[in-house]
Amino acid sequence: MTEQPVDSGASPRLPGAERLDPVRRSVVLETAVRLVFHTVLVFSLYLLLAGHNQPGGGFVGGLVAGLAFVLRYLAGGRSALREAVPVDPGVPLGLGLVLAAGTGCVALVVGGDFLESGVLSLDVPVLGLVKATSALAFDTGVYFVVVGLVLGVLRTLGAEAER
């Protein structure tokens, strides 16, 4: 008696990669990217948040997130990247610029110097004392700018490479 393969319904392939030429597709690369992609994005967020007391921050976290999107593009092309990030690259780029510049302007409004760092301490009942700095908002803006730039480069220059 032979065993019948069980179809779990889950595809090992990346969503959107089915539009690529079958000769260019790699099952190993698509499966590896599918396993690693979200882990790399979470690590980039860790670098963003840990950047105030340790190496990291918005730029490094944005580069690591950008590398996750580069992996996704290499494995599945523009369509797989579009499945992962369905927004125009100008959206995170513009959001990041507004957030980073707005952080500096808020310091001017409250009577400080441009980009002067401030600390907000809150006593949260379950968590205790939580401190938030304005540098985190600036770093988040830088993170979005870097991610938007990487996505823009992949969508424009990558489109020429696929032709």
Side-chain angles (χ1 to χ4, degrees):
M1 183 173 169
T2 61
E3 289 186 30
Q4 296 292 333
V6 177
D7 183 19
S8 65
S11 172
R13 302 286 181 111
L14 283 175
E18 63 273 353
R19 295 185 189 108
L20 281 180
D21 182 20
V23 176
R24 286 194 52 223
R25 292 182 72 179
S26 169
V27 177
V28 175
L29 181 60
E30 288 180 24
T31 304
V33 169
R34 190 170 171 176
L35 292 171
V36 171
F37 178 72
H38 294 95
T39 306
V40 173
L41 286 180
V42 170
F43 180 63
S44 77
L45 291 175
Y46 168 76
L47 288 174
L48 169 67
L49 296 174
H52 303 293
N53 299 322
Q54 299 170 357
F59 187 73
V60 174
L63 284 178
V64 171
L67 287 175
F69 294 123
V70 168
L71 280 173
R72 186 84 178 216
Y73 172 78
L74 289 175
R78 278 187 314 180
S79 56
L81 185 62
R82 198 173 300 116
E83 288 281 332
V85 187
V87 299
D88 186 66
V91 172
L93 184 64
L95 178 70
L97 284 172
V98 167
L99 189 59
T103 302
C105 292
V106 166
L108 283 174
V109 169
V110 296
D113 293 329
F114 185 72
L115 286 177
E116 184 176 337
S117 185
V119 178
L120 176 66
S121 298
L122 299 172
D123 191 16
V124 180
V126 175
L127 299 175
L129 186 64
V130 176
K131 292 182 182 178
T133 63
S134 62
L136 178 61
F138 178 77
D139 276 345
T140 303
V142 171
Y143 180 90
F144 282 130
V145 166
V146 173
V147 167
L149 283 172
V150 169
L151 289 174
V153 166
L154 288 176
R155 291 215 176 147
T156 56
L157 295 180
E160 292 298 320
E162 283 187 0
R163 286 185 194 179

